[in-house]
Amino acid sequence: MSARRIRPSRPKDFDEGRIAAVLGPTNTGKTHFAIERMLAHRSGMIGLPLRLLAREVYDKVARLKGAQYAALITGEEKIVPPDARYFVCTVEAMPLDLRVAFLAVDEIQLCADPERGHVFTDRLLNARGEEETLFLGAETMRGAIQRFVPRAHFITRPRFSDLAYTGHKKLTRLPRRSAIVAFSAEDVYGIAELVRRQRGGAAVVLGALSPRTRNAQVALYQSGDVDFLVATDAIGMGINMDVDHVAFAAMEKFDGIGIRPLKPEEIGQIAGRAGRHMNDGTFGMTAEAESLDEETVSRVEGHRYEPVRLLQYRNSALAFHSLDALLEALDEPPPARGLVKARPAMDFTSLRLLGGHDEIRDMARAPAAVKRLWDACQLPDFRKLSPDEHVKLVEQIYRHLMSDDGVLPEDWLARQIARLDVIEGDVATLSGRLAQIRTWTYAAHRPGWVKDSAHWQGQARAVEDRLSDALHERLTQRFIDRRTAVLMRRLRDDDVLDLALDDSGSVSIGGETIGKLEGFHFEADPRAEGIHGKTLRTAALKGLDGEFYARSMRLANAADTDITLSEHGRLWWDGAIVARLTAGTSALLPVIAILADDHLRSDLRERIQKRLDAWIATRTELRLEPLMALRKAADAKAGTQTALPAEARGLAHQLCESLGSLDRHNATLPPDERAAMRALRPFGVRFARRSIYMPKLLRPEAASLLALLWGVKHRLEKIPPAPPAGLTSFEFDHDIPHGFLAAAGFRLAGPRAVRLDMLDRLEEELEAAAAKGQTADAAIPKLVSLLGCDRDTLEKILAALGWSRVEVANTNESTSVWRNTGTRTQPRRQHAHKKKKKHATVTVRPDSPFASLATLVRKR
């Protein structure tokens, strides 16, 4: 089937405003940014991936703007005051017929999710604000958004803090403030039991919990009553807590079809919950989960994932004039490349099964009856018993809705709710009742399903609250062992000798945790700080002398692979930051500042300094080998065997100072440039049309290090992340300094930054096209492919480089070719030593557009 154009399902008089995609990894403040933008408008709507998160954001909006202006719309809960201006919704529940000035959709990368992706794709294609629209999500969605929303511009937000992998640790050795992630309720409860026995207790968070239970559990963790949280991957979707470390207890999950390994981007989404805002975080494995391979670790730490190439799609322009028409519309294939037909969801499966019943088919003849059947089929399967059980419930509800009363019978609904209003039972029993009451909470909020919606909403909510409180109490009893010791009693002189340090860095006195040793810095427990912070710190440091010495010796003898450098310029060792890079006399010679308590002895500090200085020197030599070799030759004493000739020495110094690349326009070139070229060619220096650069430094490992060194040298408060590996060009962010861009191997050309080798190749292709007489339009596809941008952007880049279309006429028609009519590029000097130029003989084909022009030239 040929692809047809996707037409947005919006009113004809709708004038969509500015569209932006705010992309980046976790902990970049995307959702916070969207809320601020929404509240700056006269009205707005934000779609969120979870009911729990929607409730959290609604509470925030109500607090900031007043409850009378804030609305909450989810499948199971609707709070819509008469004067509501700001609507916080789950993505599925967004009322798209409501016009608002601002609209945002969070976690837009879920367009690729097999179960819910078709809903997010529909919002990407059709949901718009009148003045501003934001799509929030992962960088992996950039290409898909460019394809389906070409008007969108992009805002890239770097992560506020570092994320580092610390390997596998036993449950008993996990650091405090850890979240342990499993992928089933059974596993969550089993791990929580182990943590209670071994570490004192844990709070639990699952997507199936009600907001009330979830908030109560999170409050236990946030208050410090427990130091561990055991959760499903529900924590990966924007639920923010003070987590320092994320430990994966499993690396496989059930995706609705079968068990499969986690993808790197899924690992990153969950692991990214560690280290909120400016606090650095770590992640690793625990329990039965195997350690990650180096490639996956590199991807997660660097936030580099495969782009989303296919979006899940289901037609949302439905026809209700007959049941068969509705089924056909839902089963319609995707209208364009890049979209893939979503697997049948539970609502479509229910509709298809019920459509096979003659009695139901007879009831659903009128359009209104078909619409009613579809509404009933959209009831979520909260109970998760079996597909057949769910379809039976949908059929029962539809029969009631199609009765003479047209609503659910009140006595029947009262019985369904009353049988669930029982707070006795264990965790599993209460969880099952909560899942069932959600069915009737949903029904009470559906328009036209009950006579007195406010009454039944209140009834269902009251039962849900009672069950939620009972479940929270059972969870607390089962998984938490309350503290009985008082910290101040352990701070007597006799107890200081009882100081202990476990493998996670946790420091305790008499079995009571008083803080944590991160690298060479002791961080006191915040709860203990309020009691007697100075006494606690003095006691801890006094007892840690031996540990400081042991760690110093281990670091001094550590292998190079045990030390890592983050994109923010921090040096990590043994799961902690031990130093950071600061500006030195040269960008290639940064100074390492050790991060340690003043209590660390000077001889140990010197030992650490010497080891880290040697490490950064080795790192620089290995990754920047061509540049370091050139620097040594430039600094060599004149007349020695390794010294550069005079005509090349100055240019080499300029290249070293500018970290491997020069703009020809700004460089000071020697009179005998050809001699300099010969001298520098063995070092891998390339003399291109616009730049002089070293191609080996464009490799990702070298380019990212050079960009970091430039940021350190220029004392940037927030060093931007280096351009992702493999990019040949990207939309320029004006907040990024041009020098940082050049250090990473890019140059600004119009609206985009273009990698130096691609810039050179681009102009080679243009000159080759001109020499062949190729038309301007014929050359464009290859140029677009080189830069990975659209046609309009390409033309802006070429205009910035001085290339423009030149009309050429012949006997039949006029056409255009590319010519450099502006900024002159530097020609290659392969034959510059020849004094006489030989004119090449060019044979012009009679059918060429240049045949007439060639005739005129010969006549002259």
Side-chain angles (χ1 to χ4, degrees):
M1 188 192 82
S2 60
R4 65 182 186 280
R5 185 178 177 182
I6 301 173
R7 298 187 178 277
S9 56
R10 294 187 288 278
K12 292 182 179 179
D13 61 338
F14 187 94
D15 184 21
E16 66 182 26
R18 175 177 177 267
I19 304 175
V22 184
L23 305 181
T26 54
N27 191 27
T28 58
K30 297 185 293 292
T31 307
H32 178 74
F33 173 78
I35 295 169
E36 285 188 332
R37 293 297 307 141
M38 179 175 73
L39 299 184
H41 287 271
R42 54 185 167 81
S43 63
M45 181 189 304
I46 183 168
L48 299 157
L50 293 177
R51 177 191 179 198
L52 300 177
L53 183 56
R55 183 75 204 200
E56 183 176 304
V57 173
Y58 163 77
D59 291 339
K60 182 175 184 178
V61 173
R63 187 171 64 252
L64 292 173
K65 285 293 186 178
Q68 70 272 27
Y69 299 125
L72 174 65
I73 302 178
T74 70
E76 304 153 66
E77 196 170 11
K78 286 184 177 63
I79 304 173
V80 186
D83 297 325
R85 297 180 187 173
Y86 303 102
F87 297 80
V88 182
C89 321
T90 50
V91 174
E92 286 85 349
M94 294 174 74
L96 297 185
D97 56 341
L98 184 67
R99 291 193 173 190
V100 289
F102 172 91
L103 185 142
V105 181
D106 198 12
E107 304 293 355
I108 196 64
Q109 74 274 6
L110 287 178
C111 285
D113 182 73
E115 292 186 42
R116 305 171 64 198
H118 65 90
V119 179
F120 285 77
T121 300
D122 181 68
R123 304 302 182 257
L124 177 69
L125 300 177
N126 299 313
R128 298 291 184 271
E130 292 182 327
E131 297 172 8
E132 184 177 8
T133 301
L134 293 185
F135 297 113
L136 320 173
E139 183 69 31
T140 55
M141 278 294 292
R142 180 182 291 268
I145 294 174
Q146 282 177 332
R147 180 170 189 171
F148 292 106
V149 192
R151 284 192 51 224
H153 75 276
F154 293 85
I155 302 171
T156 301
R157 293 179 70 92
R159 185 177 164 89
F160 291 138
S161 59
D162 280 336
L163 183 65
Y165 179 65
T166 57
H168 189 285
K169 295 180 184 292
K170 294 181 179 179
L171 281 172
T172 54
R173 296 182 178 179
L174 289 177
R176 294 175 55 250
R177 315 311 291 166
S178 287
I180 305 164
V181 179
F183 296 95
S184 70
E186 181 181 359
D187 288 344
V188 166
Y189 295 149
I191 291 169
E193 286 274 15
L194 286 173
V195 174
R196 184 190 68 82
R197 291 198 299 267
Q198 298 172 352
R199 307 299 295 271
V204 296
V205 171
L206 302 90
L209 294 183
S210 67
R212 189 181 182 96
T213 306
R214 173 261 180 189
N215 290 340
Q217 286 291 301
V218 169
L220 283 175
Y221 176 82
Q222 291 290 82
S223 67
D225 284 352
V226 292
D227 286 325
F228 298 91
L229 178 76
V230 186
T232 62
D233 53 349
I235 67 167
M237 290 294 175
I239 301 178
N240 297 322
M241 288 166 284
D242 298 328
V243 175
D244 294 335
H245 179 79
V246 170
F248 290 85
M251 294 304 294
E252 295 179 331
K253 65 177 288 186
F254 180 75
D255 64 357
I257 295 180
I259 302 294
R260 63 164 177 82
L262 292 180
K263 299 174 184 177
E265 54 267 32
E266 293 172 325
I267 298 172
Q269 182 76 25
I270 300 167
R273 293 298 140 193
R276 306 309 300 157
H277 197 52
M278 301 305 293
N279 297 321
D280 298 310
T282 57
F283 71 101
M285 306 295 114
T286 192
E288 302 300 320
E290 295 182 0
S291 297
L292 295 177
D293 60 85
E294 290 185 5
E295 173 64 19
T296 303
V297 171
S298 176
R299 284 177 174 272
V300 174
E301 289 182 338
H303 321 300
R304 296 182 292 104
Y305 309 112
E306 289 294 321
V308 172
R309 303 189 188 281
L310 294 174
L311 308 186
Q312 298 292 319
Y313 174 84
R314 187 173 81 178
N315 180 30
S316 61
L318 304 181
F320 296 100
H321 56 272
S322 73
L323 182 54
D324 288 334
L326 175 58
L327 286 167
E328 184 179 349
L330 286 166
D331 204 30
E332 192 171 301
R337 282 185 169 183
L339 301 177
V340 63
K341 187 176 178 182
R343 68 191 186 202
M346 195 65 222
D347 53 3
F348 180 59
T349 301
S350 300
L351 180 70
R352 190 166 53 190
L353 290 173
L354 291 175
H357 297 183
D358 292 339
E359 190 175 352
I360 297 295
R361 191 170 271 277
D362 288 338
M363 295 170 68
R365 291 188 177 276
V370 175
K371 180 70 166 62
R372 197 73 154 172
L373 177 58
W374 178 238
D375 286 343
C377 289
Q378 289 186 290
L379 172 72
D381 184 12
F382 296 113
R383 302 178 303 166
K384 305 292 184 187
L385 298 177
S386 72
D388 288 343
E389 286 295 323
H390 182 68
V391 172
K392 286 179 184 177
L393 177 62
V394 172
E395 180 182 359
Q396 192 175 18
I397 289 174
Y398 180 66
R399 288 180 180 277
H400 284 311
L401 296 178
M402 294 301 293
S403 66
D404 292 339
D405 291 335
V407 293
L408 300 180
E410 293 197 335
D411 59 341
W412 178 79
L413 183 57
R415 288 196 303 273
Q416 303 303 318
I417 294 175
R419 68 183 181 83
L420 300 173
D421 192 9
V422 181
I423 61 173
E424 286 78 30
D426 59 13
V427 168
T429 302
L430 291 170
S431 296
R433 290 185 192 132
L434 259 175
Q436 293 184 62
I437 196 63
R438 293 175 70 184
T439 299
W440 308 117
T441 303
Y442 179 92
H445 282 89
R446 296 301 297 164
W449 280 29
V450 294
K451 283 184 179 179
D452 186 352
S453 59
H455 168 74
W456 291 111
Q457 287 170 16
Q459 289 289 306
R461 171 50 54 81
V463 173
E464 181 177 320
D465 287 349
R466 285 192 287 273
L467 290 172
S468 296
D469 292 342
L471 179 58
H472 170 62
E473 183 179 348
R474 299 297 189 283
L475 291 171
T476 302
Q477 290 172 352
R478 180 173 171 182
F479 300 127
I480 297 175
D481 182 11
R482 296 287 187 182
R483 297 174 184 267
T484 56
V486 179
L487 180 61
M488 286 301 293
R489 200 170 57 212
R490 297 294 184 183
L491 291 178
R492 299 172 185 168
D493 291 340
D494 291 341
D495 289 329
V496 171
L497 299 176
D498 196 21
L499 184 141
L501 177 73
D502 66 21
D503 290 344
S504 71
S506 180
V507 181
S508 60
I509 294 178
E512 182 66 21
T513 300
I514 62 170
K516 186 175 183 180
L517 184 61
E518 295 274 7
F520 299 93
H521 173 69
F522 175 74
E523 187 69 35
D525 190 307
R527 293 166 292 166
E529 284 281 8
I531 301 171
H532 215 317
K534 187 174 287 188
T535 303
L536 173 65
R537 185 172 184 80
T538 301
L541 291 175
K542 181 179 178 182
L544 289 173
D545 277 342
E547 181 62 19
F548 277 151
Y549 177 81
R551 290 192 176 193
S552 301
M553 296 302 293
R554 290 210 319 273
L555 176 53
N557 296 301
D560 284 351
T561 54
D562 293 338
I563 305 170
T564 58
L565 177 65
S566 79
E567 64 182 10
H568 295 88
R570 278 93 166 210
L571 278 82
W572 288 73
W573 171 74
D574 200 27
I577 298 173
V578 294
R580 63 184 178 88
L581 297 186
T582 61
T585 55
S586 163
L588 294 174
L589 295 172
V591 173
I592 292 181
I594 296 174
L595 303 178
D597 288 313
D598 294 336
H599 191 77
L600 182 66
R601 285 169 20 201
S602 59
D603 61 321
L604 300 180
R605 189 181 294 270
E606 289 173 7
R607 190 187 299 270
I608 295 169
Q609 186 77 52
K610 183 177 179 181
R611 176 66 187 98
L612 295 180
D613 285 343
W615 184 89
I616 196 66
T618 301
R619 176 89 158 197
T620 307
E621 286 285 343
L622 288 175
R623 294 203 172 184
L624 309 180
E625 186 271 329
L627 187 61
M628 302 306 290
L630 181 63
R631 182 170 175 269
K632 289 177 183 176
D635 291 340
K637 187 176 180 181
T640 61
Q641 187 176 1
T642 58
L644 287 171
E647 57 268 25
R649 189 185 298 268
L651 195 56
H653 278 296
Q654 293 178 67
L655 275 169
C656 293
E657 283 300 311
S658 60
L659 297 181
S661 67
L662 288 171
D663 188 328
R664 275 184 173 273
H665 182 71
N666 298 325
T668 303
L669 300 177
D672 190 353
E673 184 179 340
R674 182 164 183 77
M677 290 172 63
R678 286 196 304 269
L680 296 179
R681 187 174 292 120
F683 296 94
V685 178
R686 180 179 176 85
F687 286 69
R689 291 160 175 76
R690 297 177 185 272
S691 306
I692 301 172
Y693 66 98
M694 307 176 81
K696 285 188 177 180
L697 298 184
L698 300 181
R699 295 171 179 172
E701 288 188 345
S704 60
L705 179 57
L706 287 169
L708 172 61
L709 292 176
W710 190 95
V712 170
K713 174 61 179 175
H714 291 81
R715 295 178 170 85
L716 295 189
E717 196 169 333
K718 285 178 63 177
I719 299 177
L727 275 189
T728 57
S729 76
F730 60 94
E731 187 175 355
F732 180 63
D733 181 354
H734 291 280
D735 291 333
I736 298 178
H738 286 220
F740 180 89
L741 202 66
F746 285 77
R747 174 176 171 168
L748 187 61
R752 290 177 80 81
V754 183
R755 207 170 68 200
L756 295 178
D757 58 340
M758 288 298 109
L759 190 64
D760 196 25
R761 187 174 167 191
L762 175 72
E763 295 195 300
E764 284 181 357
E765 294 292 341
L766 287 166
E767 290 175 1
K772 294 176 184 176
Q774 193 177 28
T775 64
D777 288 337
I780 280 181
K782 190 168 186 179
L783 304 180
V784 166
S785 176
L786 277 177
L787 300 188
C789 64
D790 57 43
R791 182 184 182 123
D792 291 340
T793 303
L794 173 68
E795 301 232 6
K796 292 176 184 177
I797 292 172
L798 296 183
L801 296 174
W803 290 84
S804 59
R805 294 172 179 266
V806 175
E807 295 294 326
V808 178
N810 60 28
T811 55
N812 299 321
E813 58 181 355
S814 65
T815 186
S816 61
V817 296
W818 291 111
R819 289 286 186 270
N820 194 325
T821 58
T823 307
R824 291 184 60 84
T825 59
Q826 183 71 24
R828 297 190 181 279
R829 300 190 176 184
Q830 293 173 337
H831 305 289
H833 63 287
K834 296 182 181 181
K835 294 182 179 179
K836 293 183 179 181
K837 296 181 180 179
K838 293 183 180 181
H839 295 283
T841 301
V842 179
T843 302
V844 181
R845 300 192 316 272
D847 58 340
S848 167
F850 298 100
S852 299
L853 179 61
T855 303
L856 292 173
V857 172
R858 284 195 291 269
K859 286 181 179 180
R860 289 186 62 186

